[in-house]
Amino acid sequence: MVELKTDREIDEMRAAGRVVAQALAAVRAAARVGMSLLELDGVARGVLREAGASSPFLGYRPRFAPVPFPAVVCASVNDAIVHGIPDAYRLRDGDLVSIDCGAKLDGWVGDAAVSFTVGRALPADLRLIGTAEAALAAGIAAAVPGNRIGDIAHAIGTVCRAAGYGVPDDFGGHGIGRAMHEDPGVPNEGPPGRGMTLRPGMVLAIEPMLTAGGTDDYRCDDDGWTLRTVDGSRAAHAEHTVAITADGPRILTAV
């Protein structure tokens, strides 16, 4: 069931989304060669704590997971696509890092992700990240009343495929509100004009995931969480929480 949010509730979700934006900005600013993923997780924890927010990631355990998620951010490096668990790995020159973060504030959840490089960036990585951001922008632009979920999926997939990148099967965006994952699902590829009609008050987490090698396949680490490319190619992830309004899409996780 899809819960439509009132204008006031969307404003309250914006407050949670602002915390997410602040946490992602702080993590990105702190990331440098030699810093561990656990230290980056600590940066995000500090932002959440200062804002009086909690983490919808910490302790989260969906059906596929063998253990609850142990951190407040997903930190996915290089060939990790999504759901990377922060550990003692220290960032190296040229690493491509994707950070996914959520915040729960006053009962409402925000969720967003950003990808960036550390140290000297490879041109191929910058192109991959730029395409992920362009795909996200295209998906957001399609998030208007009267369109359908398939129009968002088609907009994202068109950008990704035109650049020659893979789109991992089975993973995509989702509804969001009082819980991190709500109906409806938002695929990252598909035919336009299909699926649920978008209505004002719907709030969606739109999140393209791209693989540089062009394949849609992935594998899961032994930790049961981290998804990686099967060919070792790099991946990028971009995400915003977006409200459907009569005036157009409203990004709730912008700075």
Side-chain angles (χ1 to χ4, degrees), residues 127 131 157-165 210 212:
R127 178 176 180 266
T131 304
T158 297
V159 173
C160 298
R161 296 301 186 187
Y165 296 131
L210 289 66

Side-chain angles (χ1 to χ4, degrees), residues 77-81 96 122 125 128 210-215 217-219 227-235:
V77 180
N78 296 333
D79 65 331
I81 305 168
L96 193 165
L122 297 174
D125 288 345
L128 179 66
L210 289 66
T211 62
T215 178
D217 298 329
Y218 57 87
R219 62 179 179 85
L227 303 184
R228 295 188 185 275
T229 60
V230 295
D231 57 5
S233 65
R234 295 192 170 194

